[in-house]
Amino acid sequence: MRDLVYTGFMSLDGVVDSPGGPEEGHRSGGWVAKDLEFVPEAWSLKGEELADTTALMFGRRSYEAFAPYWRESEDHAAYKELPKYVVSGTLSDDALVDGWGETTILRSTEDVAALKESEGGAIFIHGSAELARRLSDAGLIDQYNLLVFPVLLGAGKSLFDRADRDKYMLTLRESESYSNGILKLVYDVKR
């Protein structure tokens, strides 16, 4: 069975919306870099993940945002040949980005569950808050790799559903704090 790992940037109040820039839609877009001292070791989690990543998964909107940029990015060159999965009921095969390796469209949560049952290593979900919420609600996420930033955004997309639901217990695998206030939190979902 393959592990499904969500990796992302989150504000202290749980917002994951538009960490990279204002063009992503949030009025405070770009909050991972604005007004925060750059401390290289605070970003080490991203490099560490590469060793464990055997495939990438995205929701449609995150795929459409990341694929054209990451295909050309030297920082993301290691992702180019990894298998990619896009979970979407609307994306067509002809909308896939050329030159960024094998990409498969999954149409449902059930397709994701079947993929998890296949042979292979960890699949990492980048961005894709709505997809992550659906997969969490279905009990399919195994691990959360989070960089929590010392900012309160108040509104925006949240990684976690606010609906009343059964609780999930998490086990802290790893944590670290950095001089600029970023926290690295790696949790396993208890089954």
Side-chain angles (χ1 to χ4, degrees), residues 103-120:
T103 304
T104 303
I105 300 172
L106 304 175
R107 297 295 181 193
S108 67
T109 302
E110 291 77 19
D111 290 344
V112 175
L115 176 64
K116 279 183 50 94
E117 296 295 326
S118 68
E119 294 295 318

Side-chain angles (χ1 to χ4, degrees), residues 57-72:
M57 183 175 286
F58 305 94
R60 180 188 53 81
R61 284 190 295 270
S62 290
Y63 173 78
E64 290 173 341
F66 294 160
Y69 175 75
W70 284 8
R71 178 186 62 190
E72 306 301 326

Side-chain angles (χ1 to χ4, degrees), residues 33-47:
K34 288 181 182 174
D35 305 317
L36 194 62
E37 174 191 359
F38 179 73
V39 176
E41 57 271 20
W43 298 90
S44 64
L45 176 63
K46 293 296 154 193

Side-chain angles (χ1 to χ4, degrees), residues 16-39:
V16 295
D17 201 348
S18 306
E23 65 280 355
E24 296 176 19
H26 192 280
R27 67 185 178 101
S28 296
W31 49 267
V32 299
K34 288 181 182 174
D35 305 317
L36 194 62
E37 174 191 359
F38 179 73
V39 176

Side-chain angles (χ1 to χ4, degrees), residues 94-163:
D94 63 343
L96 295 176
V97 172
D98 289 330
W100 200 42
E102 172 192 347
T103 304
T104 303
I105 300 172
L106 304 175
R107 297 295 181 193
S108 67
T109 302
E110 291 77 19
D111 290 344
V112 175
L115 176 64
K116 279 183 50 94
E117 296 295 326
S118 68
E119 294 295 318
I123 303 165
F124 279 69
I125 303 169
H126 290 265
S128 310
E130 292 175 33
L131 173 63
R133 282 193 304 274
R134 279 198 336 257
L135 298 178
S136 176
D137 289 347
L140 295 175
I141 295 192
D142 301 292
Q143 182 178 317
Y144 291 96
N145 291 4
L146 303 172
L147 289 178
V148 180
F149 286 72
V151 61
L152 301 173
L153 297 172
K157 294 178 187 172
S158 174
L159 176 58
F160 302 107
D161 195 348
R162 300 291 185 228

